[in-house]
Amino acid sequence: MGQHMRNTTPSGSLKKAAVPPEQSPDLDSAQLPETDSFRAWVRSSVEALGLPVTRLSLASGMSLNTLSRFLRCEGSEIQLGSARRVEAELRARAKERGATLPGVGQ
């Protein structure tokens, strides 16, 4: 059975969810990025940080298969809560390393 993003609009953008904005500085309810834009941001952030996808999946509470499929397959989607956790983890890793990641969708 396929993985579907439950928090998307028909255009593929992420829907708003009741998650405190302090958990994720960029994925707030005011300006949610398109799914493909978020996928590109995660890919570039993982590469810039040299972070294995296996570590990102464990730290963000996502299964490796789900995260890998999302990053690999243009048509796959991600739940908003998972996207927030992935972004928060990437930003935390960047902060630990003294790096700065661009805004999501930039």
Side-chain angles (χ1 to χ4, degrees), residues 53-73:
V53 175
T54 53
R55 285 208 180 126
L56 178 59
S57 70
L58 287 171
S60 61
M62 288 186 72
S63 81
L64 177 57
N65 288 341
T66 301
L67 182 57
S68 295
R69 185 180 321 111
F70 172 71
L71 294 174
R72 186 180 64 247
C73 303

Side-chain angles (χ1 to χ4, degrees), residues 3-6 8 12 35 39 66 70 73 75-79:
Q3 180 74 16
H4 298 285
M5 184 171 185
R6 294 182 194 124
T8 59
T35 302
R39 178 182 293 108
T66 301
F70 172 71
C73 303
S76 66
E77 299 174 339
I78 189 172
Q79 292 183 2

Side-chain angles (χ1 to χ4, degrees), residues 4-103:
H4 298 285
M5 184 171 185
R6 294 182 194 124
N7 295 320
T8 59
T9 63
S11 68
S13 62
L14 300 172
K15 282 186 182 177
K16 297 177 183 178
V19 176
E22 64 272 10
Q23 288 184 358
S24 177
D26 276 357
L27 292 182
D28 65 17
S29 59
Q31 296 181 329
L32 295 172
E34 296 292 323
T35 302
D36 289 340
S37 177
F38 181 68
R39 178 182 293 108
W41 181 84
V42 172
R43 284 178 183 160
S44 66
S45 297
V46 164
E47 183 177 328
L49 296 172
L51 181 65
V53 175
T54 53
R55 285 208 180 126
L56 178 59
S57 70
L58 287 171
S60 61
M62 288 186 72
S63 81
L64 177 57
N65 288 341
T66 301
L67 182 57
S68 295
R69 185 180 321 111
F70 172 71
L71 294 174
R72 186 180 64 247
C73 303
E74 294 299 320
S76 66
E77 299 174 339
I78 189 172
Q79 292 183 2
L80 182 57
S82 297
R84 287 178 188 261
R85 288 191 309 273
V86 166
E87 187 216 358
E89 182 60 28
L90 286 169
R91 294 216 179 271
R93 295 291 175 119
K95 186 176 179 179
E96 288 172 1
R97 297 173 186 196
T100 302
L101 297 175

